[in-house]
Amino acid sequence: MDVLVINCGSSSLKYQLINTNTEEVLASGLCDRIGIANGQFSYKPKGGDKITRNVDMQDHEVAIKLVLEALIDSKDGIIKSLNEIKATGHRIVHGGEHFTHSALVNDEVIQHIEECSDLAPLHNPAHLLGIRACKHLMPNTPMVAVFDTAFHQSMPPHAYIYGLPYEYYEKYKIRRYGFHGTSHSYVSKRTAEFLGIPLENSRIITCHLGNGSSICAVKNGQSIDTSMGLTPLEGLVMGTRSGDLDPAIIDYIAQKENLSTKEVLNILNKKSGVLGISGLSSDFRDLLAADEEGNLKARFAREVFAYRVAKYIGAYTAALVGVDAIAFCAGVGENAKFIRGKIVSHLHFLGINLDESANLETVGKEGIISTPDSKVKVCVIPTNEELMIARDTREIILKTQEH
Ligand code: ADP
């Protein structure tokens, strides 16, 4: 079954056409700067070269139309007709408490996604634009919504409730939701498979370290705690996000710098993290290069990042009452071997030792980076959120066809 996976941001749209029988990516690409001047469209068919075009796209519907045209193009297309696309799978950031699993899109599901827009104002409205555009362009193709929050709905109340007056949870649903759920779900399953341990009897800590970073405690295949909260600002020190801090700091900065709370939050989201600490870049490649040239702030930012990850691994070892495996994924986790080394250097107390040469060799691929005598296995498992979305979409479509 060919599934078109769509990940809509407010001004960008990533897509992949996946054959769910072979799990092959038939085509992939990006529509960038939607609704802004100097738009860019890219398309890469399986086995072919990437094609990039400058084209203005006034809205998401225009962008999706370009994608569909590229897929059936007589020269570079990969399918003959749009009928070959049996379903579209949409990544949705926030599903609130309503969605514990992926869902077939209908009016009710759209309404619930709309209701969660308050909690993800930058993301959910953009996802809905994508859903509406697909509905218009392919009215007979079913759609499935796959939520970043769904995997974490298994968290117990003591992990998701904040130490706030309980009425705020009752009135406004203020609680930990967690994000990157599709990635944590995929990586925890794959880690168990890769290491040959039974998922239903396992304690795995998954570390999704990218621009945005989060960490998850997965017990017997279910998320029991995760570092992001009501929004993706909480938890680890990230590329540009602060992660955990004393909430009193917000008012303190506002007073000192004569800023509004909104302006301070913007600083915490966009100008903090390793970018803020280093004053240089949010990108770990830049920080490594600067560190090698003797930039002490770049080194410090990387140390702060690694320390926070290690601290969470310690906390989640307690949450899981022990740990069998730790997995690294996403841009930093899959590639930044020096950062992984720094994190693992904090974990000797768990009986973990880094296999230096395995760590250096394991870049962008699966591998074990702890020594064979380590008490806990540490591995790298490249994430694949698109594949997970395609699998869920297929499963839901097949189930609805059975009824
Ligand atoms: P996003 O959260 O945007 O999906 P990614 O998971 O793609 O992010 O991760 C992007 C980050 O991964 C970059 O900002 C960069 O810091 C880091 N990264 C990517 N490749 C490498 C590399 N080879 N070495 C070190 N860091 C890398």
Side-chain angles (χ1 to χ4, degrees), residues 210-212 282-285 330-332 335-336:
N211 269 322
S282 61
D283 193 302
F284 282 80
R285 289 162 287 199
V332 178
N335 300 297

